[in-house]
Amino acid sequence: MRLAVSCIALAAAFAGMSAVEGGELHSYPNGVPVRRNSYIVEFHDDAHDAHLDTVRNHPSVKVKHHHGHLFKGMTVTVDGAGIPQQLSKHQGVKRVWPNRIHTLSSSKYSGKGSSQTLHEKTGLLKVAKEFGLDGKGIKIGIIDTGVDYGHPDLGGCWKEEGCPWQYGQDFIGDEYDEHSDDPVIKPNPTPMDCNGHGTHVSGILAARGTEVRGIAPNATFGMYRVFSCGNGNGTSTDDSIILQAMEAAVKDGHDIISMSLGADGAWGNNMLGRQATKAVSKGIIVVAASGNAGDSGMLTAGAPATADGVISVGAVNNWSIRSIPMTISTSSTTFNVFKTNSGSPEQEFVFEKKTPIVAPKDSLGNTNGCNPFTVDLTNKVALVMRGNCSFIEKAVFAQDAGAKGIVVYNNVGGSLEAPLVDETVKIPITIISKDDGENIADVASQGPTFVSASKDVYATFTNDKGGLMYEFSSFGPTPELDMGVSVCAPGAFIWSTYPRKMGNYITMSGTSMATPYVSGAAALLKQARPDMSVSEIRSVLTNTAKPVEDPASKLKASPYQSGGGLLDIYNAVKSRVQIDPPVLAINDTQYAPFTGVVHRISKDDIRWAIRTLKIKNTDKTKGLRISMDHAPASSVTMFNTTGMIIDSILNVDNDAAVLVDTEASAKNTMPRVFSLDSNQYIAPGMTALVTVTIASPLGLDDNRWFYGGYLNFTMQWSGESTKSNYVVPYAGFKGEFNKVPIMAPKSSGFPAIVNSDGDFIKDVSKLKVSAKNPVEVAFFMNMPSKLVTSELIDSSGKPVGYLAYGYSPLVARTLPFYTEYYTSDLDGSVFTDKELKNSVNVTAGQYHIRLSALKLFGNIERPSDFEVWNSETFAVE
């Protein structure tokens, strides 16, 4: 849906009050849903009540909520164009934010993943056995869809004596509709879950049953419900509701706030990110999901996860999956196949009796089922290959031929997601893997083949990707080349609790599932080490993790996706080292011959950086001997060789998004690390400095590749035979980040002038803009920018003013799968100030639009730091 943007400012300035100046107005691209006419007004901390009154008493403003526990502000609705611009100009106002809508992202599967194996891999079983840690005494606030607190594995109680659920409330109710201009918000007396996501998350943290055992089952919990039921309109919420929940969790005194939500690719200092950082500054551990946009490549980790001080969580695959299988049988063989849930909400993929399965060709002789079938499929299940048309089209063609169900097998490797279909599909539909599909097709070609699937029969499948990165787990870096991800935990194929009326248990996948795992780990660490600060806990979880393998390159997975690696709770609890900084973000490099190191790897200039680590031995009685080696990680890119953004990092034809390592290219495609002081002794309670020189890969193109790796420290304390391992992830960009193009290249067709319906103006030179004939400048962003401006320029080259929404700070990257774009509007008037308050009519004449985007690490005061696009000349009447 394209959002209408109209900014004809109303006259009316407000009487000035000395003290605090007005602030900024933020905007989002048309593809990012926002609550229409709803804004969050953030005031300066020292703003007076009189400043707040000028907003509260505005005749076109209705205050919906006051904020005060994390920041001074209010959520308002406005009636009339230009009001947000006016509000941003009020004295005492710091920023005005559109009220952004958020939708849940995770995948559901029938069946279960083994918790025993994953708890072994993360060290949880060992921690519970050796130290008896269970979260007791720690308070954890969960912000999610609510919880079925009546579930026997979750205590079966609410705010009773001895109940694990002592805090929380509902902030949204069951009737919220994201498409409504004025959504109904009727909170229930308790945060009962009608969606399932929050109950699943809660089980990972809090379950105390025999079927599911949580990470910190004896902690005290609060559930702050912020998502609606969906009601056919998506499970959604908005910034204002989430902020209310965050403030309540802070007020209730939680030690940890767990947030399995966020905005893909957002700047870490957006509205939610800023308040998460404030919570951290109050001594609260904030854990947030990095996001599930990894298929869109780099710079997809979102806020609040990427905000300063927050623990950002990525996801790895579970090692085994226990699920309801699809059983294939012939006269001579029977075998089970893993399948997804049915994509048809009304039709479960259940065949209690054996049903014939065939692999028919459509009317054009294709196996993908994208054309009508000429064969009779009555009482049969159709097996077709994925691709070339939608799941809906495949299913409709199959059901029109009489099929009782349809199985789609993947056309590439990778994770399986339940196919999305609508009410036109009347038969069950599921997806299986490429290998399984090809095997079934081969078996079916040799004779009668049957399929069956029961509701209650489970089978265990080994996940050959167990312990590897979940491919949809989002990537960093942040727009300023910070890591973006702190640590990973099991998040794909996780078996946990589900609302009783929806089946009690289910398997789900996503960084939403990994986040409570890390929240629970933080609780155990805080229980064991109560004197640790928030930053120390964050560092220890990162530095005691185990780097994840990348089977494609045979190296380590990029730290931009995996952070320190897979969580190791046992190592974290036993840690006796503090490393500062816990990660090395290489956001600037020298370009010269090596200096200060004994090794020389090239006679030419190379890119390199020097960083210094502080390593503190926290054991006050034993000295520590340290040594260091280095493990390179896969280099990754978001650009093909022509500089175009890759649509998906998971599906690239000729230009590999993840560099495949070979013997011929191994050495010059990997970064290298040198240090003269990495092997040394640290006395009890003392700190040592370790300086490292990191050389970026010689054999990779500049301004295209992101590289990284791990500094592996081996620690051995005096008198002990065992050794401990710590890692410091590092990552950087090979080249100059500020030279990477910000806007999509001209070959993409953007930027462009379009009419109010979004249609391209074919001949801009003949365009005549007026209030009755408005236009928009539409553009995609390959990279994020701290500031994007759209100005109207007269025939002499002089700027006349900004277009509507023509001064936008903190602009996020446009993700490849988003079809919407940013726009600024022109209707014959412009704004003479960056707050977009003072509107003037444009004198008739010839003009063009200048679109400017600040380059990464650019200086807003330096014109040469902006990337500029100029439109053709047109007339304004």
Side-chain angles (χ1 to χ4, degrees):
M1 180 184 74
R2 299 188 63 247
L3 305 179
V5 186
S6 178
C7 281
I8 306 173
L10 300 179
F14 286 80
M17 287 175 285
S18 57
V20 190
E21 294 297 324
E24 300 175 338
L25 172 68
H26 286 256
S27 65
Y28 292 115
N30 282 346
V32 175
V34 295
R35 173 72 47 234
R36 188 168 180 263
N37 296 328
S38 179
Y39 294 85
I40 299 168
V41 182
E42 180 185 6
F43 292 89
H44 288 279
D45 291 339
D46 57 351
H48 305 148
D49 286 342
H51 296 132
L52 276 66
D53 286 340
T54 63
V55 174
R56 281 191 286 249
N57 298 331
H58 192 290
S60 297
V61 170
K62 183 177 181 180
V63 177
K64 306 293 285 188
H65 183 80
H66 285 89
H67 302 276
H69 290 291
L70 280 174
F71 73 105
K72 185 178 292 187
M74 59 185 73
T75 299
V76 302
T77 56
V78 301
D79 181 16
I83 302 301
Q85 289 80 3
Q86 291 186 22
L87 296 181
S88 70
K89 192 64 174 177
H90 281 210
Q91 293 191 6
V93 171
K94 190 174 184 179
R95 296 176 188 87
V96 176
W97 304 84
N99 191 7
R100 183 170 182 166
I101 294 171
H102 300 270
T103 303
L104 278 180
S105 173
S106 60
S107 301
K108 302 175 185 178
Y109 303 91
S110 54
K112 55 184 175 180
S114 167
S115 59
Q116 181 78 10
T117 302
L118 66 88
H119 290 339
E120 287 177 358
K121 298 290 187 179
T122 61
L124 176 64
L125 295 183
K126 200 172 180 181
V127 161
K129 181 179 180 180
E130 189 169 323
F131 302 111
L133 297 175
D134 57 9
K136 186 176 181 179
I138 306 301
K139 294 167 62 176
I140 306 174
I142 306 169
I143 299 176
D144 216 290
T145 67
V147 60
D148 182 358
Y149 47 79
H151 196 295
D153 284 8
L154 295 174
C157 56
W158 179 252
K159 292 187 178 181
E160 301 171 9
E161 184 177 352
C163 182
W165 302 98
Q166 291 294 326
Y167 303 92
Q169 65 187 93
D170 184 1
F171 290 91
I172 192 168
D174 301 345
E175 301 176 34
Y176 181 95
D177 180 358
E178 70 173 81
H179 302 296
S180 171
D181 288 347
D182 188 17
V184 176
I185 299 177
K186 293 171 60 177
N188 297 309
T190 64
M192 178 57 74
D193 189 6
C194 57
N195 172 271
H197 186 277
T199 300
H200 193 274
V201 163
S202 297
I204 295 168
L205 257 171
R208 50 184 64 187
T210 57
E211 187 65 37
V212 178
R213 189 74 176 173
I215 313 302
N218 283 326
T220 301
F221 296 95
M223 172 55 75
Y224 303 84
R225 183 186 171 204
V226 298
F227 283 97
S228 64
C229 297
N231 298 322
N233 297 306
T235 304
S236 54
T237 185
D238 58 49
D239 277 347
S240 175
I241 295 171
I242 296 172
L243 288 169
Q244 293 174 49
M246 293 173 69
E247 290 182 302
V250 170
K251 183 180 179 182
D252 287 342
H254 287 289
D255 301 296
I256 300 168
I257 297 177
S258 186
M259 303 177 68
S260 292
L261 53 82
D264 292 334
W267 286 75
N269 55 346
N270 72 358
M271 189 65 207
L272 293 183
R274 288 174 184 270
Q275 308 320 316
T277 297
K278 285 188 178 180
V280 171
S281 71
K282 293 178 180 291
I284 300 170
I285 301 165
V286 179
V287 185
S290 66
N292 301 317
D295 55 334
S296 290
M298 313 301 294
L299 293 114
T300 51
T306 56
D308 288 347
V310 174
I311 299 175
S312 175
V313 182
V316 301
N317 281 277
N318 199 351
W319 287 261
S320 64
I321 309 167
R322 185 162 176 78
S323 72
I324 296 175
M326 184 172 74
T327 302
I328 303 297
S329 58
T330 68
S331 60
S332 60
T333 186
T334 298
F335 57 91
N336 289 325
V337 172
F338 174 76
K339 64 174 181 61
T340 67
N341 277 5
S342 175
S344 175
E346 305 300 326
Q347 301 289 333
E348 291 184 85
F349 196 92
V350 174
F351 294 92
E352 296 290 353
K353 296 182 179 180
K354 291 182 179 181
T355 303
I357 184 170
V358 295
K361 292 185 178 180
D362 61 27
S363 57
L364 295 183
N366 297 321
T367 58
N368 55 30
C370 288
N371 298 282
F373 291 100
T374 56
V375 297
D376 184 8
L377 299 178
T378 301
N379 294 324
K380 297 177 181 178
V381 173
L383 174 70
V384 301
M385 185 175 68
R386 186 175 184 174
N388 295 94
C389 63
S390 70
F391 293 121
I392 295 173
E393 291 172 287
K394 294 175 189 291
V396 170
F397 285 134
Q399 70 187 24
D400 287 349
K404 294 183 68 174
I406 181 170
V407 176
V408 181
Y409 65 92
N410 225 351
N411 54 353
V412 295
S415 294
L416 305 177
E417 302 289 325
L420 298 178
V421 298
D422 59 22
E423 65 279 357
T424 62
V425 176
K426 308 298 183 183
I427 59 176
I429 177 173
T430 187
I431 293 183
I432 62 176
S433 73
K434 181 177 184 290
D435 289 345
D436 285 336
E438 291 174 347
N439 184 33
I440 297 171
D442 180 59
V443 170
S445 70
Q446 300 176 37
T449 305
F450 301 89
V451 61
S452 59
S454 173
K455 283 186 177 181
D456 304 314
V457 176
Y458 289 87
T460 299
F461 298 89
T462 298
N463 185 1
D464 59 4
K465 293 188 175 182
L468 303 180
M469 292 304 302
Y470 176 53
E471 52 197 348
F472 293 99
S473 189
S474 290
F475 281 82
T478 70
E480 295 183 323
L481 280 181
D482 289 326
M483 199 67 72
V485 180
S486 307
V487 70
C488 291
F493 304 107
I494 305 300
W495 176 250
S496 186
T497 48
Y498 212 52
R500 290 163 293 165
K501 65 180 180 180
M502 300 168 72
N504 285 300
Y505 305 97
I506 200 171
T507 288
M508 297 181 71
S509 293
T511 55
S512 286
M513 286 64 249
T515 298
Y517 209 104
V518 173
S519 297
L524 302 186
L525 183 54
K526 187 170 182 63
Q527 180 187 7
R529 311 281 287 277
D531 294 334
M532 272 192 175
S533 68
V534 173
S535 62
E536 288 172 340
I537 288 175
R538 182 172 181 253
S539 297
V540 165
L541 291 175
T542 297
N543 297 139
T544 58
K546 299 174 182 176
V548 178
E549 299 296 324
D550 181 353
S553 66
K554 302 175 185 176
L555 303 173
K556 303 300 182 185
S558 171
Y560 281 137
Q561 189 183 32
S562 61
L566 176 63
L567 178 77
D568 190 322
I569 305 174
Y570 183 77
N571 282 351
V573 169
K574 286 184 66 74
S575 172
R576 287 178 283 173
V577 166
Q578 282 288 338
I579 303 176
D580 183 33
V583 301
L584 296 179
I586 314 299
N587 52 14
D588 65 305
T589 53
Q590 303 289 331
Y591 190 50
F594 258 167
T595 59
V597 294
V598 295
H599 301 279
R600 186 173 180 84
I601 61 174
S602 173
K603 64 180 180 180
D604 302 317
D605 290 351
I606 62 172
R607 296 194 178 277
W608 53 278
I610 295 177
R611 296 290 185 271
T612 298
L613 297 167
K614 295 180 181 179
I615 300 180
K616 182 178 181 179
N617 176 12
T618 60
D619 192 316
K620 296 182 179 180
T621 62
K622 294 183 179 181
L624 171 63
R625 172 64 62 182
I626 69 169
S627 61
M628 186 197 82
D629 60 20
H630 166 237
S634 299
S635 294
V636 291
T637 186
M638 57 192 289
F639 310 101
N640 63 23
T641 52
T642 65
M644 291 287 288
I645 291 286
I646 295 168
D647 283 344
S648 172
I649 202 166
L650 304 182
N651 185 19
V652 186
D653 294 330
N654 298 318
D655 296 305
V658 177
L659 185 69
V660 178
D661 186 23
T662 65
E663 290 185 7
S665 63
K667 289 186 178 180
N668 70 353
T669 60
M670 293 187 289
R672 303 198 215 172
V673 174
F674 306 93
S675 177
L676 300 179
D677 52 12
S678 61
N679 192 327
Q680 55 179 298
Y681 174 82
I682 307 176
M686 300 304 291
T687 299
L689 301 180
V690 174
T691 299
V692 294
T693 300
I694 300 171
S696 62
L698 283 169
L700 299 181
D701 301 334
D702 268 9
N703 300 332
R704 184 181 173 210
W705 290 93
F706 296 83
Y707 65 92
Y710 294 86
L711 308 180
N712 298 321
F713 286 94
T714 300
M715 313 282 191
Q716 186 171 19
W717 278 266
S718 300
E720 298 182 9
S721 58
T722 58
K723 298 178 181 179
S724 300
N725 297 313
Y726 293 76
V727 298
V728 176
Y730 71 88
F733 181 71
K734 186 176 189 291
E736 298 175 72
F737 211 37
N738 62 356
K739 290 188 177 179
V740 175
I742 299 296
M743 292 182 274
K746 291 182 180 179
S747 57
S748 69
F750 291 89
I753 306 297
V754 300
N755 63 24
S756 56
D757 293 325
D759 300 322
F760 284 82
I761 304 296
K762 294 182 179 179
D763 190 349
V764 174
S765 64
K766 296 180 180 179
L767 182 63
K768 296 180 180 179
V769 178
S770 66
K772 294 182 178 180
N773 186 36
V775 295
E776 301 172 349
V777 55
F779 56 99
F780 284 98
M781 298 290 290
N782 271 1
M783 302 295 283
S785 175
K786 270 192 174 180
L787 178 64
V788 177
T789 64
S790 302
E791 298 172 280
L792 189 66
I793 310 299
D794 67 18
S795 57
S796 69
K798 179 181 177 182
V800 177
Y802 297 107
L803 278 62
Y805 281 80
Y807 192 96
S808 299
L810 301 182
V811 177
R813 174 193 165 207
T814 309
L815 300 186
F817 297 134
Y818 285 66
T819 58
E820 300 294 343
Y821 42 72
Y822 287 75
T823 63
S824 297
D825 301 358
L826 179 64
D827 61 359
S829 63
V830 293
F831 296 90
T832 57
D833 60 333
K834 68 179 183 180
E835 290 80 16
L836 306 180
K837 174 194 171 185
N838 301 316
S839 174
V840 298
N841 292 323
V842 177
T843 303
Q846 294 292 307
Y847 298 88
H848 73 273
I849 294 172
R850 181 170 67 199
L851 181 66
S852 304
L854 185 64
K855 298 175 184 178
L856 296 161
F857 298 114
N859 183 339
I860 197 172
E861 303 296 333
R862 189 182 301 135
S864 61
D865 282 359
F866 283 83
E867 184 177 311
V868 177
W869 172 85
N870 290 289
S871 75
E872 295 179 64
T873 300
F874 54 85
V876 174
E877 296 184 330

